[in-house]
Amino acid sequence: MSIDNTEARLIANALYEIRLLLSPYMGSENDAPHDVRLAAHVAYALHNEAAALIDAENLT
């Protein structure tokens, strides 16, 4: 499956927005429920991966 650059940027932007919304729940010492903290960390990781893919694609 091929995703063009526009779609990749759209997905990365959506993940970034989710990451921003969940950023207050980052960290192991946060009082939020475990599943919310986990979602925050997953959103952070997914956004980083999407951004890295876009950067790598822009270098070629």
Side-chain angles (χ1 to χ4, degrees):
M1 182 169 95
S2 176
I3 297 178
D4 69 21
N5 199 13
T6 303
E7 290 172 329
R9 288 182 180 278
L10 199 63
I11 292 168
N13 188 49
L15 289 168
Y16 178 71
E17 293 296 325
I18 294 168
R19 175 182 164 179
L20 286 179
L21 290 171
L22 292 172
S23 64
Y25 304 106
M26 291 288 291
S28 60
E29 298 193 18
N30 193 295
D31 290 338
H34 180 262
D35 56 341
V36 175
R37 291 193 329 262
L38 181 63
H41 286 269
V42 168
Y44 186 87
L46 287 173
H47 171 259
N48 287 345
E49 286 296 317
L53 287 172
I54 290 170
D55 289 343
E57 191 172 289
N58 287 336
L59 292 176
T60 59

